[in-house]
Amino acid sequence: MSARDDVLTRVRAALGPDHVGPSDPPPAVPRGYRRHDDRAPGDPGLLDLLVDRLEDYRALVHRCAGGDVGDVVAAALRARGARHLVVPVGVPEGWTRPAVARGVVLRPDSPTLDVATLDDSGSVLTGCAVAVADTGTIVLDGAPDQGRRALTLVPDHHLCVVRADQVVGLVPEAVARLDPTRPLTWVSGPSATSDIELERVEGVHGPRTLEVVLVDPAP
């Protein structure tokens, strides 16, 4: 018997005869948790909660009407002094037109941009698949208005447009809307971690700045 076999034998003995083995059917998963919020997607209370969570994570949030998205994006880029903006191929032209009129150079991800170009660009603009108010999480799924993962991981500044009808209350509601075979990226605020002395460091694994444009429902 090898040392590995000896360790596994002891583990099985410690778990006892009721332990589920590899050939046994999986046990039932208890699902007594809440799976639906009482409020419908896009409810004003959910939008306020999402904003509160995002700001608590140090994200920047702008609320506007659907027709003002382009102006808000242009103002955000001007505030950062951005000269270049990476965009997935499916981003609506109206989101970028005012910025282009003010001199920002678009860098569409077609053909595929290399890492050096993404890093040099500094800013990226995308949509999203769904947002979770309870956790302040935005989910990207690689759709045409979001693009591949590298677009939102390499640039230092991520501008993300979220429509009111994409905001749900709870994580299970978001999961139900998503296709698990797609490349899902779950974003809760700017990329951040802590060093050994528990000092917060931002921008290590992704964008240092997350800026969300929340599109309020039409009156």
Side-chain angles (χ1 to χ4, degrees):
M1 179 181 292
S2 67
R4 176 180 178 276
D5 294 332
D6 184 35
V7 169
L8 291 177
T9 299
R10 295 185 185 188
V11 170
R12 293 188 187 101
L15 291 172
D18 296 329
H19 173 62
V20 177
S23 60
D24 297 315
V29 177
R31 301 192 183 276
Y33 52 82
R34 284 199 308 152
R35 303 180 71 176
H36 297 280
D37 195 280
D38 295 334
R39 295 161 290 187
D43 181 272
L46 292 181
L47 303 185
D48 292 340
L49 180 59
L50 177 65
V51 171
D52 179 74
R53 294 289 192 266
L54 288 169
E55 291 179 341
D56 189 52
Y57 295 152
R58 303 188 188 181
L60 303 175
V61 183
H62 311 279
R63 299 184 69 163
C64 68
D68 296 330
V69 171
D71 291 329
V72 173
V73 168
L77 294 172
R78 185 173 66 250
R80 289 182 63 87
R83 297 180 297 106
H84 302 97
L85 178 66
V86 170
V87 289
V89 294
V91 162
E93 183 183 354
W95 292 4
T96 59
R97 188 182 300 113
V100 171
R102 296 174 184 175
V104 174
V105 177
L106 293 187
R107 288 179 170 171
D109 191 41
S110 178
T112 302
L113 300 172
D114 58 35
V115 173
T117 302
L118 294 178
D119 186 47
D120 175 68
S121 300
S123 295
V124 60
L125 173 66
T126 74
C128 78
V130 65
V132 186
D134 189 51
T135 60
T137 303
I138 295 169
V139 188
L140 313 176
D141 69 355
D145 66 340
Q146 298 152 57
R148 56 195 174 98
R149 279 179 168 167
L151 300 189
T152 54
L153 293 177
V154 178
D156 203 44
H157 174 222
H158 180 192
L159 268 164
C160 186
V161 178
V162 180
R163 301 191 317 269
D165 66 316
Q166 294 177 308
V167 180
V168 299
L170 304 175
V171 170
E173 291 176 278
V175 172
R177 287 188 168 207
L178 297 167
D179 179 352
T181 65
R182 296 189 65 82
L184 303 178
T185 303
W186 297 66
V187 181
S188 295
S191 169
T193 187
S194 295
D195 63 17
I196 196 170
E197 296 179 349
L198 300 183
E199 293 291 335
R200 180 182 171 98
V201 180
E202 297 179 349
V204 177
H205 310 295
R208 192 187 313 271
T209 302
L210 172 64
E211 203 155 357
V212 176
V213 181
L214 179 58
V215 183
D216 285 315

